């Protein structure tokens, strides 16, 4: 009731500390339409890039004060439709905010006409997610349908959110040289991820992932829309040489996946025969730089989640 909160158990390091007002979707407390509390980072900025980092070392940090800002907020309204074009009564709807500090989200009620209304939305990058049916919601008694709609909120919006039928796709990872088994993949194992081709949000966004099983097969579920496929946690010394779907190479292409008609629709080939790049890192006057980090990035289609 005094607006205080205690964060404990933090590892030593530098932190950006921000508040989320929790008023998104609620009427303005002050009764002024279009004015509300904003997400604010220490000491008092609505831009996380301008936040003052807080150093946590061996002792407790003294009490900090964040002065929460107020400013313009907007309404996001609309109708959610199912894959047949009918208002999707009973759909699960959510609004997520995307920034460098995270992606808080909240559920949004949908009325019996498929309409929704969200108030107190501040400027920024968001995405609306919608879904209905599927095995996790047997009460709907219908196949899974979903939608992911990125938004750049700068004014009031009225939207049509149209869901698409989800499909399940199976696949297998193969080796170019079957006589040279790869080392164990790092972390939790080989990860196969798809993401909508038009999704440019930071963070996970519309990603759907699956881990390869011990027999190098995998299954991606509830896919919709044109997506690109990426492979993570590739064993050291190996690289992804090929990704084929229904006999076509799709390693850099966006694909609208279809219902699996074969046990292995996606074929990913790993190879240990990649090229080796070697060189030196020099500073502005030509002196060698010790401890520099070198990163190779694809020259085409740069996206935030590729880095």
């Amino acid at each position: 009731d005094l607006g205080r909160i205690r964060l404990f158990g933090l590892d030593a390091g530098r932190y950006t500390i921000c508040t989320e007002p929790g008023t998104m979707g609620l009427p303005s407390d002050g009764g002024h339409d279009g004015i509300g509390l904003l997400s604010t980072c220490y000491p008092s900025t609505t831009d996380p890039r301008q936040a003052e980092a807080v150093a946590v070392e061996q002792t407790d940090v003294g009490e900090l004060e964040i002065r929460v800002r107020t400013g313009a907020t907007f309404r996001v309204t609309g109708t959610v439709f199912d894959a047949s074009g009918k208002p999707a009564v009973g759909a699960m709807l959510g609004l997520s905010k995307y920034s460098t500090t995270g992606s808080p989200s909240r559920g949004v009620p949908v009325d019996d006409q498929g309409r929704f209304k969200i108030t107190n939305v501040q400027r920024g990058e968001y995405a609306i997610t919608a879904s209905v049916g599927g095995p996790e919601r047997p009460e709907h008694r219908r196949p899974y349908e979903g939608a992911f709609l990125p938004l750049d909120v700068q004014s009031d919006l009225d939207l049509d959110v149209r869901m698409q039928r989800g499909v399940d796709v199976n696949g297998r990872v193969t080796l170019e040289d079957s006589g040279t088994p790869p080392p164990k993949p790092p972390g939790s194992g080989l990860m196969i991820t798809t993401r909508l081709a038009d999704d440019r949000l930071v963070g996970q966004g519309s990603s759907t992932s699956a881990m390869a099983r011990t027999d190098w097969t995998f299954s991606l579920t509830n896919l919709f829309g044109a997506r690109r496929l990426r492979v993570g946690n590739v064993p050291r010394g190996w690289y992804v040489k090929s990704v084929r779907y229904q006999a076509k190479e799709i390693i850099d292409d966006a694909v609208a996946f279809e219902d699996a008609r074969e046990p292995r629709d996606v074929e990913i080939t790993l190879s240990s025969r990649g090229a080796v790049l070697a060189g030196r890192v020099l500073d502005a006057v030509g002196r060698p730089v010790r401890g520099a980090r070198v990163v190779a990035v694809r020259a085409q289609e740069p996206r935030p989640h590729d880095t």
Side-chain angles (χ1 to χ4, degrees):
D1 61 329
L2 298 178
R4 292 175 176 167
I5 188 171
R6 179 173 179 261
L7 303 176
F8 54 91
L10 299 178
D11 294 330
R14 294 170 60 82
Y15 292 83
T16 298
I17 300 179
C18 304
T19 68
E20 291 289 338
T23 55
M24 187 169 66
L26 302 176
S28 174
D29 293 335
H32 302 291
D33 191 30
I35 300 294
L37 298 175
L38 305 180
S39 302
T40 308
C41 297
Y42 177 79
S44 184
T45 177
T46 57
D47 186 349
R49 296 170 297 182
Q50 298 178 3
E52 181 179 320
V54 176
V56 176
E57 298 176 344
Q58 301 301 318
T59 60
D60 290 345
V61 177
E63 186 168 294
L64 305 174
E65 181 179 88
I66 299 178
R67 299 193 176 187
V68 179
R69 305 284 295 274
T70 60
T73 61
F74 306 100
R75 294 183 180 183
V76 178
T77 58
T79 305
V80 56
F81 297 92
D82 64 18
S84 68
K86 298 179 180 179
V89 179
M92 301 287 289
L93 200 74
L95 180 70
S96 299
K97 178 182 178 183
Y98 287 84
S99 69
T100 55
T101 59
S103 54
S105 61
R106 69 173 302 135
V108 178
V110 178
D111 68 17
D112 56 6
Q113 301 297 316
R115 295 284 299 175
F116 62 89
K117 176 182 177 181
I118 315 167
T119 58
N120 273 325
V121 181
Q122 71 182 81
R123 300 180 192 273
E125 299 288 334
Y126 296 82
I128 283 182
T129 58
S131 64
V132 67
E136 295 183 359
R137 300 191 182 101
E139 69 278 7
H140 291 175
R141 298 181 180 179
R142 59 189 297 178
Y144 176 88
E145 297 177 11
F148 183 93
L149 180 63
L151 303 175
D152 181 12
V153 176
Q154 302 294 332
S155 62
D156 291 343
L157 299 174
D158 189 64
L159 310 167
D160 287 345
V161 180
R162 300 186 181 276
M163 294 189 291
Q164 301 177 62
R165 176 77 177 269
V167 300
D168 297 344
V169 177
N170 300 313
R172 175 182 289 276
V173 179
T174 62
L175 308 178
E176 184 181 43
D177 184 359
S178 58
T180 307
K184 182 180 178 181
S188 55
L190 200 69
M191 178 179 289
I192 297 88
T193 302
T194 70
R195 185 168 180 144
L196 291 174
D198 59 354
D199 175 10
R200 300 295 192 269
L201 296 170
V202 298
Q204 295 299 310
S206 60
S207 297
T208 298
S209 300
M211 306 301 298
R213 307 179 184 96
T214 55
D215 64 354
W216 296 90
T217 63
F218 60 89
S219 297
L220 295 161
T221 61
N222 297 333
L223 301 184
F224 58 86
R227 294 173 175 265
R228 288 186 172 86
L229 188 147
R230 297 288 182 260
V231 182
N233 295 340
V234 177
R236 184 176 180 85
W238 292 71
Y239 75 102
V240 180
K241 180 178 181 179
S242 173
V243 180
R244 299 183 66 82
Y245 175 67
Q246 295 185 349
K248 295 181 180 180
E249 180 62 61
I250 63 165
I251 193 167
D252 288 316
D253 296 334
V255 176
F257 292 97
E258 302 174 0
D259 280 316
R261 295 189 296 270
E262 300 177 4
R264 297 183 293 277
D265 265 1
V266 176
E267 193 87 6
I268 298 173
T269 303
L270 301 184
S271 175
S272 60
R273 302 174 183 176
V276 176
L277 300 178
R280 301 175 68 202
V281 179
L282 306 176
D283 64 16
V285 296
R287 295 174 299 191
V289 178
R290 179 176 297 179
R293 183 183 181 191
V294 179
V295 179
V297 181
R298 289 179 181 270
Q300 59 195 44
E301 302 172 335
R303 295 181 298 278
H305 53 278
D306 279 341
T307 57

